[in-house]
Amino acid sequence: MNGEPEVHEEFEARLKAYEGRAAAATGVGRDPVNEPMIRHWCEAMGDTSPAYTGPDAIAPPTMLQVWTMAGLTRRPERTAAYDELLRLLDESGYDAVVATDCEQEYPRPLRPGDEITFDSVIESVSGLKTTKLGAGHFVTTRTDIRAGGELAGTHRFRILKYSPAHRPKDPTPGPAKEPRPRPVINRDNAGFWEGVARHELLIQRCTGCGDLRFPWLPGCNSCGCPEWDTVEASGEGTVYSYVVMHHPPFPASEPPYAVGLIELAEGVRIVSNVVGVPYDKVRIGMPVRLEFRRYDDALVLPVFQGVTR
């Protein structure tokens, strides 16, 4: 990994040889597209679009990956080539992984009853990149999802296999030493993070129909209008749902800790840490109040202080 340039060029050539090879072949969705899963998704996301209910319902386009997921089991269609690629990166010191982004295309809507098949290909393996997390290689897979043999969606998923820049030297318990991961900021959500830097929690508001939405999106789910402005959240909310993280540990985190799906007073929901109360005292319906915490010189995040009665 840290050898002469020609050695790394040879290694990168080995990585490039995996481009175009199958990552998953002849995959079959565990279940047909179905109304119960669509309902659960819409309830969790707070999406009330009428397009997802009734006799002519379609599945929300962003559910595309849901129909190919395997749960906690290893998919039988995953290929040896993909496992070999990941093992080669692991053995070369790039043994940490983080998902970085995904891109989706929707040639046609999915409807309840559609039977899903899919195939994945290793689309690209980048050269060595230096990131704040550490040096590594981006691996992009492309999954083509079909319904009745017709292309219904394309899902590109990108991970970074990297060597952490700050590996803990002391394995004994103690304060977290790695920096907290940074949020992925893009053209669609940059305004949200600019607001956070000013200690403002901004919610998008469609200027067409007035609906509020979160997380930030380029267009309105209700009416399709691409124009929007923002309103500042009051900061009051309740715990709609939550999980307690025990494993795996993440950089700069000390499990166990509570992560909540917070329903704001404005009606939208946001995922964030619940702080100020013991993790085992967090409850659904608990009132919370927004606060902004600085984690280092460059990172401020919105969290929610539990309010005990």
Side-chain angles (χ1 to χ4, degrees), residues 6-90:
E6 60 268 22
V7 175
H8 201 83
E9 288 177 8
E10 179 182 346
F11 175 70
E12 290 193 0
R14 293 176 65 190
L15 296 179
K16 286 289 184 182
Y18 286 92
E19 292 185 346
R21 297 179 68 180
T26 61
V28 177
R30 295 179 69 178
D31 299 287
V33 177
N34 62 86
E35 293 177 359
M37 188 62 73
I38 292 172
R39 184 175 67 253
H40 292 322
W41 173 278
C42 290
E43 288 178 354
M45 299 301 293
D47 193 336
T48 58
S49 171
Y52 309 140
T53 60
D56 298 320
I58 64 171
T62 49
M63 285 187 74
L64 186 64
Q65 189 185 17
V66 168
W67 313 113
T68 66
M69 293 176 121
L72 299 178
T73 61
R74 184 187 183 280
R75 295 306 300 242
E77 63 274 355
R78 181 160 149 172
T79 65
Y82 190 61
D83 286 338
E84 289 170 7
L85 171 60
L86 298 184
R87 186 163 55 249
L88 175 59
L89 288 162
D90 284 344

Side-chain angles (χ1 to χ4, degrees), residues 164-180:
H166 304 286
R167 290 184 183 271
K169 296 181 179 179
D170 182 4
T172 59
K177 299 177 182 178
E178 293 191 60
R180 194 178 183 95

Side-chain angles (χ1 to χ4, degrees), residues 201-272:
L201 185 62
L202 299 179
I203 303 169
Q204 280 182 311
R205 177 174 57 191
C206 174
T207 56
C209 67
D211 275 7
L212 300 181
R213 64 178 184 262
F214 193 91
W216 281 35
L217 296 170
C220 179
N221 278 332
S222 298
C223 72
C225 177
E227 304 299 327
W228 52 270
D229 58 14
T230 62
V231 296
E232 184 177 355
S234 68
E236 302 297 322
T238 57
V239 176
Y240 184 84
S241 182
Y242 71 97
V243 296
V244 175
M245 297 296 296
H246 292 273
H247 185 81
F250 290 97
S253 67
E254 297 180 66
Y257 55 91
V259 177
L261 178 62
I262 307 302
E263 186 162 79
L264 299 177
E266 291 76 14
V268 299
R269 298 173 191 151
I270 179 174
V271 175
S272 186

